PDB file of all heavy atoms in Angstrom:
ATOM      1  N   THR A   1       0.851  -1.187   0.000  1.00 80.00           N
ATOM      2  CA  THR A   1       0.000   0.000   0.000  1.00 80.00           C
ATOM      3  C   THR A   1       0.888   1.239   0.000  1.00 80.00           C
ATOM      4  O   THR A   1       1.941   1.253   0.637  1.00 80.00           O
ATOM      5  CB  THR A   1      -0.917   0.027   1.241  1.00 80.00           C
ATOM      6  OG1 THR A   1      -1.642  -1.190   1.320  1.00 80.00           O
ATOM      7  CG2 THR A   1      -1.898   1.183   1.161  1.00 80.00           C
ATOM      8  N   LEU A   2       0.455   2.241  -0.718  1.00 86.00           N
ATOM      9  CA  LEU A   2       1.130   3.539  -0.694  1.00 86.00           C
ATOM     10  C   LEU A   2       0.481   4.379   0.395  1.00 86.00           C
ATOM     11  O   LEU A   2      -0.737   4.603   0.375  1.00 86.00           O
ATOM     12  CB  LEU A   2       1.010   4.230  -2.049  1.00 86.00           C
ATOM     13  CG  LEU A   2       1.651   5.607  -2.140  1.00 86.00           C
ATOM     14  CD1 LEU A   2       3.170   5.509  -2.002  1.00 86.00           C
ATOM     15  CD2 LEU A   2       1.280   6.294  -3.445  1.00 86.00           C
ATOM     16  N   LEU A   3       1.265   4.818   1.349  1.00 85.00           N
ATOM     17  CA  LEU A   3       0.764   5.615   2.465  1.00 85.00           C
ATOM     18  C   LEU A   3       1.200   7.065   2.289  1.00 85.00           C
ATOM     19  O   LEU A   3       2.390   7.332   2.107  1.00 85.00           O
ATOM     20  CB  LEU A   3       1.284   5.073   3.799  1.00 85.00           C
ATOM     21  CG  LEU A   3       0.979   3.602   4.115  1.00 85.00           C
ATOM     22  CD1 LEU A   3       1.596   3.214   5.444  1.00 85.00           C
ATOM     23  CD2 LEU A   3      -0.511   3.365   4.117  1.00 85.00           C
ATOM     24  N   ALA A   4       0.224   7.956   2.311  1.00 88.00           N
ATOM     25  CA  ALA A   4       0.500   9.391   2.252  1.00 88.00           C
ATOM     26  C   ALA A   4       0.169   9.995   3.614  1.00 88.00           C
ATOM     27  O   ALA A   4      -0.936   9.799   4.130  1.00 88.00           O
ATOM     28  CB  ALA A   4      -0.329  10.061   1.165  1.00 88.00           C
ATOM     29  N   VAL A   5       1.123  10.687   4.198  1.00 87.00           N
ATOM     30  CA  VAL A   5       0.948  11.297   5.520  1.00 87.00           C
ATOM     31  C   VAL A   5       0.925  12.809   5.355  1.00 87.00           C
ATOM     32  O   VAL A   5       1.894  13.411   4.905  1.00 87.00           O
ATOM     33  CB  VAL A   5       2.071  10.870   6.474  1.00 87.00           C
ATOM     34  CG1 VAL A   5       1.890  11.531   7.835  1.00 87.00           C
ATOM     35  CG2 VAL A   5       2.089   9.359   6.623  1.00 87.00           C
ATOM     36  N   ILE A   6      -0.207  13.387   5.698  1.00 88.00           N
ATOM     37  CA  ILE A   6      -0.385  14.839   5.593  1.00 88.00           C
ATOM     38  C   ILE A   6      -0.137  15.448   6.969  1.00 88.00           C
ATOM     39  O   ILE A   6      -0.788  15.071   7.950  1.00 88.00           O
ATOM     40  CB  ILE A   6      -1.800  15.182   5.099  1.00 88.00           C
ATOM     41  CG1 ILE A   6      -2.052  14.510   3.742  1.00 88.00           C
ATOM     42  CG2 ILE A   6      -1.996  16.694   5.007  1.00 88.00           C
ATOM     43  CD1 ILE A   6      -3.473  14.662   3.254  1.00 88.00           C
ATOM     44  N   HIS A   7       0.794  16.382   7.052  1.00 89.00           N
ATOM     45  CA  HIS A   7       1.137  17.003   8.331  1.00 89.00           C
ATOM     46  C   HIS A   7       0.093  18.064   8.686  1.00 89.00           C
ATOM     47  O   HIS A   7      -0.209  18.959   7.883  1.00 89.00           O
ATOM     48  CB  HIS A   7       2.521  17.632   8.259  1.00 89.00           C
ATOM     49  CG  HIS A   7       3.616  16.627   8.234  1.00 89.00           C
ATOM     50  ND1 HIS A   7       4.428  16.352   9.328  1.00 89.00           N
ATOM     51  CD2 HIS A   7       4.049  15.792   7.248  1.00 89.00           C
ATOM     52  CE1 HIS A   7       5.289  15.421   9.011  1.00 89.00           C
ATOM     53  NE2 HIS A   7       5.089  15.065   7.753  1.00 89.00           N
ATOM     54  N   LEU A   8      -0.441  17.969   9.897  1.00 86.00           N
ATOM     55  CA  LEU A   8      -1.391  18.953  10.413  1.00 86.00           C
ATOM     56  C   LEU A   8      -0.609  19.973  11.230  1.00 86.00           C
ATOM     57  O   LEU A   8      -0.272  19.741  12.392  1.00 86.00           O
ATOM     58  CB  LEU A   8      -2.455  18.261  11.275  1.00 86.00           C
ATOM     59  CG  LEU A   8      -3.204  17.107  10.601  1.00 86.00           C
ATOM     60  CD1 LEU A   8      -4.194  16.476  11.572  1.00 86.00           C
ATOM     61  CD2 LEU A   8      -3.928  17.588   9.346  1.00 86.00           C
ATOM     62  N   GLU A   9      -0.305  21.092  10.623  1.00 83.00           N
ATOM     63  CA  GLU A   9       0.576  22.070  11.253  1.00 83.00           C
ATOM     64  C   GLU A   9      -0.198  22.957  12.217  1.00 83.00           C
ATOM     65  O   GLU A   9      -1.403  23.217  12.045  1.00 83.00           O
ATOM     66  CB  GLU A   9       1.248  22.926  10.171  1.00 83.00           C
ATOM     67  CG  GLU A   9       2.065  22.102   9.181  1.00 83.00           C
ATOM     68  CD  GLU A   9       2.585  22.945   8.030  1.00 83.00           C
ATOM     69  OE1 GLU A   9       2.336  24.167   8.053  1.00 83.00           O
ATOM     70  OE2 GLU A   9       3.228  22.370   7.125  1.00 83.00           O
ATOM     71  N   GLU A  10       0.521  23.430  13.236  1.00 81.00           N
ATOM     72  CA  GLU A  10      -0.082  24.346  14.205  1.00 81.00           C
ATOM     73  C   GLU A  10      -0.420  25.677  13.534  1.00 81.00           C
ATOM     74  O   GLU A  10       0.323  26.161  12.688  1.00 81.00           O
ATOM     75  CB  GLU A  10       0.871  24.581  15.370  1.00 81.00           C
ATOM     76  CG  GLU A  10       1.162  23.329  16.200  1.00 81.00           C
ATOM     77  CD  GLU A  10       2.055  23.645  17.381  1.00 81.00           C
ATOM     78  OE1 GLU A  10       2.364  24.848  17.579  1.00 81.00           O
ATOM     79  OE2 GLU A  10       2.444  22.704  18.096  1.00 81.00           O
ATOM     80  N   GLY A  11      -1.535  26.243  13.929  1.00 78.00           N
ATOM     81  CA  GLY A  11      -1.971  27.503  13.345  1.00 78.00           C
ATOM     82  C   GLY A  11      -2.830  27.346  12.108  1.00 78.00           C
ATOM     83  O   GLY A  11      -3.334  28.339  11.578  1.00 78.00           O
ATOM     84  N   ARG A  12      -2.990  26.126  11.619  1.00 83.00           N
ATOM     85  CA  ARG A  12      -3.857  25.876  10.465  1.00 83.00           C
ATOM     86  C   ARG A  12      -5.050  25.052  10.930  1.00 83.00           C
ATOM     87  O   ARG A  12      -4.886  24.059  11.634  1.00 83.00           O
ATOM     88  CB  ARG A  12      -3.091  25.158   9.369  1.00 83.00           C
ATOM     89  CG  ARG A  12      -3.963  24.796   8.172  1.00 83.00           C
ATOM     90  CD  ARG A  12      -3.148  24.109   7.087  1.00 83.00           C
ATOM     91  NE  ARG A  12      -2.250  25.037   6.437  1.00 83.00           N
ATOM     92  CZ  ARG A  12      -0.987  24.784   6.122  1.00 83.00           C
ATOM     93  NH1 ARG A  12      -0.463  23.604   6.421  1.00 83.00           N
ATOM     94  NH2 ARG A  12      -0.231  25.686   5.521  1.00 83.00           N
ATOM     95  N   SER A  13      -6.209  25.427  10.533  1.00 84.00           N
ATOM     96  CA  SER A  13      -7.419  24.729  10.966  1.00 84.00           C
ATOM     97  C   SER A  13      -7.479  23.328  10.371  1.00 84.00           C
ATOM     98  O   SER A  13      -6.967  23.078   9.273  1.00 84.00           O
ATOM     99  CB  SER A  13      -8.665  25.522  10.554  1.00 84.00           C
ATOM    100  OG  SER A  13      -8.784  25.567   9.136  1.00 84.00           O
ATOM    101  N   LEU A  14      -8.111  22.437  11.126  1.00 83.00           N
ATOM    102  CA  LEU A  14      -8.251  21.064  10.645  1.00 83.00           C
ATOM    103  C   LEU A  14      -9.108  21.024   9.391  1.00 83.00           C
ATOM    104  O   LEU A  14      -8.873  20.214   8.493  1.00 83.00           O
ATOM    105  CB  LEU A  14      -8.877  20.196  11.748  1.00 83.00           C
ATOM    106  CG  LEU A  14      -9.111  18.731  11.398  1.00 83.00           C
ATOM    107  CD1 LEU A  14      -7.799  18.034  11.080  1.00 83.00           C
ATOM    108  CD2 LEU A  14      -9.836  18.019  12.546  1.00 83.00           C
ATOM    109  N   GLU A  15     -10.093  21.923   9.300  1.00 85.00           N
ATOM    110  CA  GLU A  15     -10.980  21.929   8.137  1.00 85.00           C
ATOM    111  C   GLU A  15     -10.222  22.230   6.848  1.00 85.00           C
ATOM    112  O   GLU A  15     -10.468  21.621   5.807  1.00 85.00           O
ATOM    113  CB  GLU A  15     -12.102  22.959   8.328  1.00 85.00           C
ATOM    114  CG  GLU A  15     -13.136  22.582   9.377  1.00 85.00           C
ATOM    115  CD  GLU A  15     -12.609  22.732  10.791  1.00 85.00           C
ATOM    116  OE1 GLU A  15     -11.548  23.389  10.970  1.00 85.00           O
ATOM    117  OE2 GLU A  15     -13.226  22.194  11.715  1.00 85.00           O
ATOM    118  N   SER A  16      -9.267  23.173   6.911  1.00 87.00           N
ATOM    119  CA  SER A  16      -8.519  23.506   5.700  1.00 87.00           C
ATOM    120  C   SER A  16      -7.592  22.358   5.298  1.00 87.00           C
ATOM    121  O   SER A  16      -7.416  22.084   4.105  1.00 87.00           O
ATOM    122  CB  SER A  16      -7.704  24.780   5.916  1.00 87.00           C
ATOM    123  OG  SER A  16      -6.755  24.601   6.970  1.00 87.00           O
ATOM    124  N   SER A  17      -7.031  21.664   6.281  1.00 87.00           N
ATOM    125  CA  SER A  17      -6.191  20.509   5.966  1.00 87.00           C
ATOM    126  C   SER A  17      -7.029  19.386   5.366  1.00 87.00           C
ATOM    127  O   SER A  17      -6.589  18.693   4.432  1.00 87.00           O
ATOM    128  CB  SER A  17      -5.471  20.013   7.220  1.00 87.00           C
ATOM    129  OG  SER A  17      -4.591  21.002   7.720  1.00 87.00           O
ATOM    130  N   ILE A  18      -8.241  19.195   5.892  1.00 87.00           N
ATOM    131  CA  ILE A  18      -9.121  18.166   5.341  1.00 87.00           C
ATOM    132  C   ILE A  18      -9.531  18.522   3.917  1.00 87.00           C
ATOM    133  O   ILE A  18      -9.641  17.650   3.044  1.00 87.00           O
ATOM    134  CB  ILE A  18     -10.351  17.975   6.249  1.00 87.00           C
ATOM    135  CG1 ILE A  18      -9.930  17.350   7.586  1.00 87.00           C
ATOM    136  CG2 ILE A  18     -11.407  17.103   5.563  1.00 87.00           C
ATOM    137  CD1 ILE A  18     -11.066  17.191   8.567  1.00 87.00           C
ATOM    138  N   ASP A  19      -9.730  19.814   3.671  1.00 88.00           N
ATOM    139  CA  ASP A  19     -10.059  20.238   2.309  1.00 88.00           C
ATOM    140  C   ASP A  19      -8.910  19.913   1.354  1.00 88.00           C
ATOM    141  O   ASP A  19      -9.135  19.471   0.222  1.00 88.00           O
ATOM    142  CB  ASP A  19     -10.351  21.741   2.297  1.00 88.00           C
ATOM    143  CG  ASP A  19     -10.641  22.245   0.899  1.00 88.00           C
ATOM    144  OD1 ASP A  19     -11.601  21.748   0.274  1.00 88.00           O
ATOM    145  OD2 ASP A  19      -9.887  23.109   0.407  1.00 88.00           O
ATOM    146  N   PHE A  20      -7.675  20.130   1.819  1.00 90.00           N
ATOM    147  CA  PHE A  20      -6.523  19.767   0.996  1.00 90.00           C
ATOM    148  C   PHE A  20      -6.500  18.265   0.738  1.00 90.00           C
ATOM    149  O   PHE A  20      -6.248  17.808  -0.391  1.00 90.00           O
ATOM    150  CB  PHE A  20      -5.227  20.201   1.695  1.00 90.00           C
ATOM    151  CG  PHE A  20      -3.979  19.844   0.945  1.00 90.00           C
ATOM    152  CD1 PHE A  20      -3.480  20.666  -0.057  1.00 90.00           C
ATOM    153  CD2 PHE A  20      -3.287  18.669   1.233  1.00 90.00           C
ATOM    154  CE1 PHE A  20      -2.321  20.328  -0.750  1.00 90.00           C
ATOM    155  CE2 PHE A  20      -2.142  18.329   0.544  1.00 90.00           C
ATOM    156  CZ  PHE A  20      -1.663  19.159  -0.448  1.00 90.00           C
ATOM    157  N   ALA A  21      -6.773  17.467   1.785  1.00 89.00           N
ATOM    158  CA  ALA A  21      -6.795  16.008   1.625  1.00 89.00           C
ATOM    159  C   ALA A  21      -7.895  15.583   0.671  1.00 89.00           C
ATOM    160  O   ALA A  21      -7.717  14.661  -0.137  1.00 89.00           O
ATOM    161  CB  ALA A  21      -6.968  15.343   2.987  1.00 89.00           C
ATOM    162  N   ASP A  22      -9.063  16.243   0.740  1.00 89.00           N
ATOM    163  CA  ASP A  22     -10.161  15.925  -0.176  1.00 89.00           C
ATOM    164  C   ASP A  22      -9.744  16.161  -1.632  1.00 89.00           C
ATOM    165  O   ASP A  22     -10.016  15.332  -2.504  1.00 89.00           O
ATOM    166  CB  ASP A  22     -11.388  16.777   0.148  1.00 89.00           C
ATOM    167  CG  ASP A  22     -12.098  16.310   1.412  1.00 89.00           C
ATOM    168  OD1 ASP A  22     -11.968  15.114   1.736  1.00 89.00           O
ATOM    169  OD2 ASP A  22     -12.767  17.129   2.054  1.00 89.00           O
ATOM    170  N   ARG A  23      -9.089  17.287  -1.873  1.00 91.00           N
ATOM    171  CA  ARG A  23      -8.662  17.603  -3.235  1.00 91.00           C
ATOM    172  C   ARG A  23      -7.623  16.581  -3.735  1.00 91.00           C
ATOM    173  O   ARG A  23      -7.697  16.132  -4.877  1.00 91.00           O
ATOM    174  CB  ARG A  23      -8.058  19.018  -3.285  1.00 91.00           C
ATOM    175  CG  ARG A  23      -9.060  20.135  -2.991  1.00 91.00           C
ATOM    176  CD  ARG A  23      -8.330  21.456  -2.809  1.00 91.00           C
ATOM    177  NE  ARG A  23      -9.225  22.531  -2.439  1.00 91.00           N
ATOM    178  CZ  ARG A  23      -9.488  23.591  -3.199  1.00 91.00           C
ATOM    179  NH1 ARG A  23      -8.923  23.711  -4.392  1.00 91.00           N
ATOM    180  NH2 ARG A  23     -10.305  24.531  -2.786  1.00 91.00           N
ATOM    181  N   PHE A  24      -6.668  16.248  -2.853  1.00 91.00           N
ATOM    182  CA  PHE A  24      -5.624  15.304  -3.257  1.00 91.00           C
ATOM    183  C   PHE A  24      -6.206  13.916  -3.496  1.00 91.00           C
ATOM    184  O   PHE A  24      -5.850  13.240  -4.474  1.00 91.00           O
ATOM    185  CB  PHE A  24      -4.542  15.256  -2.181  1.00 91.00           C
ATOM    186  CG  PHE A  24      -3.364  14.411  -2.557  1.00 91.00           C
ATOM    187  CD1 PHE A  24      -2.639  14.652  -3.717  1.00 91.00           C
ATOM    188  CD2 PHE A  24      -2.960  13.356  -1.749  1.00 91.00           C
ATOM    189  CE1 PHE A  24      -1.550  13.865  -4.065  1.00 91.00           C
ATOM    190  CE2 PHE A  24      -1.882  12.571  -2.085  1.00 91.00           C
ATOM    191  CZ  PHE A  24      -1.179  12.823  -3.248  1.00 91.00           C
ATOM    192  N   ALA A  25      -7.115  13.482  -2.618  1.00 90.00           N
ATOM    193  CA  ALA A  25      -7.735  12.168  -2.803  1.00 90.00           C
ATOM    194  C   ALA A  25      -8.563  12.133  -4.084  1.00 90.00           C
ATOM    195  O   ALA A  25      -8.543  11.123  -4.815  1.00 90.00           O
ATOM    196  CB  ALA A  25      -8.614  11.836  -1.595  1.00 90.00           C
ATOM    197  N   ARG A  26      -9.269  13.199  -4.386  1.00 90.00           N
ATOM    198  CA  ARG A  26     -10.059  13.258  -5.617  1.00 90.00           C
ATOM    199  C   ARG A  26      -9.155  13.191  -6.840  1.00 90.00           C
ATOM    200  O   ARG A  26      -9.462  12.519  -7.834  1.00 90.00           O
ATOM    201  CB  ARG A  26     -10.881  14.555  -5.635  1.00 90.00           C
ATOM    202  CG  ARG A  26     -11.927  14.611  -6.759  1.00 90.00           C
ATOM    203  CD  ARG A  26     -12.655  15.946  -6.750  1.00 90.00           C
ATOM    204  NE  ARG A  26     -13.109  16.290  -5.423  1.00 90.00           N
ATOM    205  CZ  ARG A  26     -12.694  17.349  -4.734  1.00 90.00           C
ATOM    206  NH1 ARG A  26     -11.788  18.172  -5.279  1.00 90.00           N
ATOM    207  NH2 ARG A  26     -13.162  17.605  -3.543  1.00 90.00           N
ATOM    208  N   ASN A  27      -7.995  13.879  -6.755  1.00 91.00           N
ATOM    209  CA  ASN A  27      -7.044  13.844  -7.865  1.00 91.00           C
ATOM    210  C   ASN A  27      -6.525  12.426  -8.085  1.00 91.00           C
ATOM    211  O   ASN A  27      -6.400  11.966  -9.227  1.00 91.00           O
ATOM    212  CB  ASN A  27      -5.881  14.794  -7.557  1.00 91.00           C
ATOM    213  CG  ASN A  27      -4.915  14.955  -8.715  1.00 91.00           C
ATOM    214  OD1 ASN A  27      -4.272  14.004  -9.120  1.00 91.00           O
ATOM    215  ND2 ASN A  27      -4.804  16.174  -9.223  1.00 91.00           N
ATOM    216  N   LEU A  28      -6.214  11.704  -6.996  1.00 90.00           N
ATOM    217  CA  LEU A  28      -5.702  10.341  -7.132  1.00 90.00           C
ATOM    218  C   LEU A  28      -6.774   9.389  -7.638  1.00 90.00           C
ATOM    219  O   LEU A  28      -6.495   8.482  -8.429  1.00 90.00           O
ATOM    220  CB  LEU A  28      -5.155   9.848  -5.788  1.00 90.00           C
ATOM    221  CG  LEU A  28      -3.890  10.538  -5.250  1.00 90.00           C
ATOM    222  CD1 LEU A  28      -3.445   9.885  -3.947  1.00 90.00           C
ATOM    223  CD2 LEU A  28      -2.759  10.498  -6.267  1.00 90.00           C
ATOM    224  N   ARG A  29      -8.028   9.556  -7.201  1.00 89.00           N
ATOM    225  CA  ARG A  29      -9.091   8.654  -7.637  1.00 89.00           C
ATOM    226  C   ARG A  29      -9.370   8.785  -9.131  1.00 89.00           C
ATOM    227  O   ARG A  29      -9.795   7.818  -9.771  1.00 89.00           O
ATOM    228  CB  ARG A  29     -10.374   8.949  -6.854  1.00 89.00           C
ATOM    229  CG  ARG A  29     -10.321   8.524  -5.382  1.00 89.00           C
ATOM    230  CD  ARG A  29     -11.686   8.614  -4.731  1.00 89.00           C
ATOM    231  NE  ARG A  29     -11.641   8.228  -3.337  1.00 89.00           N
ATOM    232  CZ  ARG A  29     -11.765   9.061  -2.312  1.00 89.00           C
ATOM    233  NH1 ARG A  29     -11.940  10.368  -2.544  1.00 89.00           N
ATOM    234  NH2 ARG A  29     -11.712   8.622  -1.073  1.00 89.00           N
ATOM    235  N   GLU A  30      -9.108   9.967  -9.687  1.00 89.00           N
ATOM    236  CA  GLU A  30      -9.312  10.170 -11.129  1.00 89.00           C
ATOM    237  C   GLU A  30      -8.148   9.630 -11.956  1.00 89.00           C
ATOM    238  O   GLU A  30      -8.202   9.659 -13.183  1.00 89.00           O
ATOM    239  CB  GLU A  30      -9.490  11.669 -11.404  1.00 89.00           C
ATOM    240  CG  GLU A  30     -10.745  12.255 -10.779  1.00 89.00           C
ATOM    241  CD  GLU A  30     -10.791  13.762 -10.896  1.00 89.00           C
ATOM    242  OE1 GLU A  30      -9.776  14.348 -11.373  1.00 89.00           O
ATOM    243  OE2 GLU A  30     -11.812  14.368 -10.524  1.00 89.00           O
TER     244      GLU A  30
END
């Protein structure tokens, strides 16, 4: 399995990081 680890940095909201993950996952699924 290919594992991608997205760093959740301090000062950035979890929602914005999840939005980034959503975009990246959508790109990979296509």
Side-chain angles (χ1 to χ4, degrees):
T1 306
L2 179 66
L3 303 178
V5 179
I6 302 173
H7 288 255
L8 306 178
E9 301 173 2
E10 296 183 4
R12 177 179 289 137
S13 66
L14 179 62
E15 289 74 15
S16 61
S17 297
I18 292 177
D19 178 59
F20 179 85
D22 286 334
R23 294 170 184 246
F24 185 56
R26 190 183 312 117
N27 187 296
L28 292 183
R29 289 190 181 109
E30 295 172 354

